[in-house]
Amino acid sequence: MSTPKALILGAGPAGLSAAHELSNHGVSCHVVDRHTQVGGLCRTLDFEGYRFDIGGHRFLSRSVEVNDLWKNVLGQELLTKSRKSRIYFRGQFYDYPLHPWKTLQKLGPVEAARCIASYLGAQLSGGTDSGSFENWMIRRFGRRLYENFFKSYTEKVWGIPCSRLSSDWAAQRIQELSLQKAIHQAFFSDRERKIKTLSDRFYYPRLGPGQFCERLKAICETKHVNFHLEREIAEVQTQGRRVRSVISASGGRKENHEADYFLSSIPLPVLVEKLSPRPPKEILEAAASLSFRSFISVNLIFNSPDLFDDHWIYVHSPDVKAGRVQNYKNWSREMVPDDQTTSLGVEYFVFEGDELWNKSDEALIRFAADELAVLGLADKSRLVKGFVAKIPKAYPVYGPGYKNSVRILRDYLAGFENLQVMGRAGLFRYNNSDHAILTGLFAARNVLGEGHDLWTVDPDRHFVAALD
């Protein structure tokens, strides 16, 4: 009997964990990815010895299995960190998670009274969420707190009004958070299960999340997993109810990859568009209706030993376009080779083709340095150098009608008995890396004969009370 062969599209957390699991059970694996290094959005970029993430990545999960994988792969290289993050709003910095009394004090007595009255009114109204992010947040926080601390940042991230953003995003990412729960956790945090969004501790690899991905790749290679990097997916060839092969391309040269099983973490609509023969019109229309928000990280090095204590800062000010600022030296001192310098990542959320997306790298570096000066976070005269990372299709947008489009694609792809989709982009689900890892593990186990529904994977089902 011949050894089964699996082809994995995408070498992010989902693809790597699937390859690891399959190779542990003797399945021959090939992994195709368009980047020069593995990790997807969890890559860590090296720039002259300085290490930058593609956005900050907390290693935080209630899944025992995911925590064990992180620990087994990284060992002593996995650091335990105490979170510090703040919100910049109206010229002031607010601790996040919000400390209720400090926050109300900074807002001043008049605005604080309005926020409390707005919150109480929302609790007494008995209203429903009505499907939008805006209504979901107002129901739990009241309109004043929502507009002060959530609306502007959320619209920066997604590029659409909060009234048009599905409440599914809040339900996934904010995990039933309410002002009452936030206050309760602030005063009684050790007496009940913590809200994951508000967790004050997390793991982080000594050399960034890319260290985990590269180590997992190396482990896979000892088990004869083959990685085909810098290759774009050109075509996914199907025949009847099966995928027959995938054609990848690099520099004008194409390669045909045949396999028994296909596991895809590339963007869901992209996968559908690559199918050959072409799907019916209504399937292609559903794929075309799904959109992604793209991401720019302007990575800067300053000739300053310390700038601020936060791991990251959320920027709610409409005076600048930056959405977040990462301080990688605070994530791990070894992200910076020279202790007399500090590296920052200034993050912008855009659509491809936007004004910012089309700016040159040099213009973006100047622009980001100017914005840091406006925020009072860094003196641009101490800027040494920088570089820009532009990441297309980073965040699935939960816009109007997205759920129906995803359902149509899900049902259509279920017709291919040897194809599975997984990970953030593959499932069109704005998830964390622990969820992506679990979908990869369970996709692999489906190849091995188990029956997991990847669309319903929940990393919170195995609760871990605290980091040890």
Side-chain angles (χ1 to χ4, degrees):
M1 182 177 179
S2 61
T3 302
K5 180 178 177 181
L7 183 69
I8 297 170
L9 309 184
L16 288 169
S17 59
H20 181 256
E21 184 74 1
L22 287 170
S23 61
N24 280 341
H25 291 84
V27 176
S28 173
C29 291
H30 290 252
V31 183
V32 181
D33 193 277
R34 67 187 184 87
H35 296 107
T36 59
Q37 64 187 99
V38 299
L41 292 176
C42 283
R43 303 193 309 283
T44 299
L45 308 176
D46 188 298
F47 178 74
E48 300 183 9
Y50 290 84
R51 301 175 70 85
F52 294 85
D53 295 346
I54 299 172
H57 289 277
R58 287 187 294 165
F59 279 39
L60 177 66
S61 183
R62 293 196 177 104
S63 166
V64 174
E65 190 165 15
V66 172
N67 278 291
D68 285 346
L69 180 62
W70 284 333
K71 293 175 185 177
N72 291 337
V73 170
L74 289 168
Q76 296 301 311
E77 298 290 282
L78 190 61
L79 309 177
T80 300
K81 307 293 292 184
S82 295
R83 166 182 179 164
K84 182 172 182 183
S85 59
R86 289 180 295 169
I87 292 171
Y88 180 86
F89 173 68
R90 291 183 179 173
Q92 296 193 77
F93 290 93
Y94 295 80
D95 290 337
Y96 190 83
L98 295 172
H99 295 288
W101 308 134
K102 289 182 182 178
T103 300
L104 294 174
Q105 185 179 39
K106 279 193 173 184
L107 287 170
V110 174
E111 185 61 24
R114 288 173 175 167
C115 288
I116 292 171
S118 177
Y119 170 72
L120 293 175
Q123 303 312 297
L124 294 172
S125 70
T128 61
D129 294 338
S130 301
S132 75
F133 173 86
E134 182 167 88
N135 288 331
W136 195 98
M137 296 299 291
I138 291 171
R139 182 74 180 87
R140 286 157 180 78
F141 288 89
R143 181 172 291 277
R144 298 294 295 197
L145 277 173
Y146 154 71
E147 290 182 344
N148 282 337
F149 291 106
F150 296 99
K151 185 176 189 293
S152 62
Y153 177 76
T154 302
E155 291 183 350
K156 270 189 183 183
V157 173
W158 298 109
I160 59 175
C162 289
S163 59
R164 297 184 62 238
L165 183 65
S166 171
S167 61
D168 292 350
W169 179 80
Q172 279 182 207
R173 300 290 291 191
I174 307 180
Q175 299 175 304
E176 295 302 318
L177 175 62
S178 68
L179 183 60
Q180 184 179 13
K181 289 181 181 179
I183 292 172
H184 192 276
Q185 180 159 314
F187 291 102
F188 305 102
S189 60
D190 60 343
R191 298 189 185 182
E192 68 170 22
R193 167 176 167 164
K194 285 195 173 187
I195 299 167
K196 185 177 174 184
T197 301
L198 302 183
S199 177
D200 58 2
R201 297 175 71 205
F202 60 91
Y203 292 129
Y204 188 75
R206 181 176 63 88
L207 297 176
Q211 183 180 18
F212 167 74
C213 297
E214 293 292 345
R215 283 200 172 189
L216 196 55
K217 173 180 180 280
I219 292 169
C220 288
E221 287 178 323
T222 66
K223 299 171 184 176
H224 310 294
V225 176
N226 293 288
F227 287 86
H228 308 263
L229 303 181
E230 295 185 84
R231 302 199 68 85
E232 294 280 354
I233 304 303
E235 193 173 325
V236 179
Q237 298 183 329
T238 66
Q239 186 172 23
R241 290 177 50 83
R242 295 183 65 82
V243 176
R244 182 165 51 85
S245 67
V246 166
I247 296 175
S248 68
S250 178
R253 297 181 61 185
K254 293 187 175 181
E255 183 176 353
N256 189 54
H257 309 267
E258 296 184 349
D260 302 296
Y261 302 96
F262 296 82
L263 289 68
S264 173
S265 64
I266 68 173
L268 178 63
V270 173
L271 172 66
V272 171
E273 290 161 3
K274 299 295 183 183
L275 293 174
S276 177
R278 298 273 286 171
K281 179 182 177 182
E282 61 270 21
I283 304 301
L284 294 173
E285 288 176 346
S289 73
L290 297 177
S291 64
F292 287 82
R293 194 73 161 149
S294 296
F295 176 80
I296 300 172
S297 181
V298 183
N299 301 305
L300 306 175
I301 300 166
F302 289 88
N303 185 23
S304 299
D306 292 293
L307 290 172
F308 50 87
D309 294 337
D310 307 77
H311 293 101
W312 69 93
I313 293 172
Y314 299 105
V315 183
H316 288 214
S317 171
D319 297 332
V320 297
K321 293 186 177 181
R324 258 184 339 213
V325 179
Q326 306 284 346
N327 189 335
Y328 292 114
K329 191 175 185 179
N330 293 339
W331 288 80
S332 170
R333 302 297 287 190
E334 295 190 52
M335 298 287 278
V336 178
D338 180 354
D339 203 47
Q340 295 306 304
T341 60
T342 298
S343 59
L344 303 181
V346 188
E347 300 175 359
Y348 298 91
F349 307 96
V350 300
F351 291 113
E352 291 181 63
D354 281 357
E355 178 186 359
L356 280 178
W357 183 267
N358 290 333
K359 278 183 180 290
S360 69
D361 289 2
E362 294 77 12
L364 281 168
I365 289 169
R366 292 194 301 270
F367 185 80
D370 287 341
E371 294 212 321
L372 288 174
V374 170
L375 298 171
L377 294 175
D379 180 352
K380 63 181 179 180
S381 70
R382 301 186 73 86
L383 175 65
V384 178
K385 60 182 66 176
F387 77 102
V388 175
K390 293 182 178 179
I391 313 299
K393 295 181 173 60
Y395 306 113
V397 177
Y398 287 6
Y402 94 94
K403 191 177 293 186
N404 185 57
S405 294
V406 170
R407 180 190 59 77
I408 290 170
L409 300 185
R410 172 183 175 176
D411 291 346
Y412 181 75
L413 293 176
F416 299 105
E417 58 190 24
N418 63 339
L419 172 66
Q420 298 180 79
V421 291
M422 58 188 180
R424 171 185 285 191
L427 292 166
F428 201 82
R429 178 171 176 176
Y430 185 30
N431 61 6
N432 291 317
S433 58
D434 63 333
H435 178 270
I437 287 170
L438 280 177
T439 62
L441 292 175
F442 291 159
R445 291 169 192 169
N446 286 343
V447 170
L448 300 170
E450 298 184 12
H452 301 281
D453 182 356
L454 303 184
W455 298 90
T456 61
V457 170
D458 180 7
D460 292 339
R461 62 189 183 161
H462 300 302
F463 175 61
V464 179
L467 300 179
D468 53 26

